[in-house]
Amino acid sequence: QVQLVESGGGSVQTGGSLRLSCKVSGHTYGTYCLGWFRQAPGAARELVARIWTSGDSTYYANSMKDRFTMSQDYATNTFRLQMDNLEPEGTATYYCAADSRRCGLIDVFTNWGQGTQVTVS
């Protein structure tokens, strides 16, 4: 079991940038699928990006692939989501998630952070 804590949310103007971080603690040995999700008010939760920690390429949702970058910092057990050129549609609660299964086998991630609010106006 792992614990996830997000940070870095906030308010930004259209076209601005934010960087979210997710600190992972607990049983961090082995490989994991790491993901970022977001949920806007009244909408379903959607996948933003995900990666298998052994080094597969990162998957991005189509609407975000040119503006968002997911990265890993092994030294601090932290993964991040750099969001550039944000649009008002990006207003949502953003969640990080981790699961020990291969990304393609996951229906619902088993470990979730508490969420961090991003507001774009």
Side-chain angles (χ1 to χ4, degrees):
Q1 193 79 353
V2 297
Q3 293 78 46
L4 308 171
V5 178
E6 298 109 338
S7 60
S11 296
V12 65
Q13 293 186 333
T14 298
S17 297
L18 282 174
R19 188 176 75 166
L20 306 182
S21 295
C22 183
K23 174 73 173 178
V24 184
S25 61
H27 186 271
T28 58
Y29 299 105
T31 50
Y32 282 85
C33 183
L34 306 176
W36 285 101
F37 292 77
R38 69 183 186 185
Q39 187 166 20
R45 185 170 55 196
E46 63 174 336
L47 176 66
V48 174
R50 58 168 169 80
I51 189 169
W52 178 246
T53 56
S54 68
D56 288 351
S57 61
T58 305
Y59 166 85
Y60 295 96
N62 281 337
S63 63
M64 291 165 261
K65 64 172 55 178
D66 295 327
R67 299 179 294 116
F68 290 12
T69 304
M70 184 176 179
S71 63
Q72 302 175 68
D73 183 344
Y74 295 100
T76 61
N77 282 339
T78 300
F79 61 105
R80 297 184 173 91
L81 183 69
Q82 176 68 39
M83 305 185 293
D84 298 319
N85 194 20
L86 282 161
E87 301 169 342
E89 293 74 19
T91 295
T93 301
Y94 285 71
Y95 299 89
C96 61
D99 196 295
S100 59
R101 295 171 289 176
R102 293 280 302 194
C103 294
L105 300 178
I106 299 170
D107 49 359
V108 179
F109 278 69
T110 55
N111 303 285
W112 292 87
Q114 82 284 2
T116 186
Q117 179 66 35
V118 171
T119 303
V120 186
S121 60

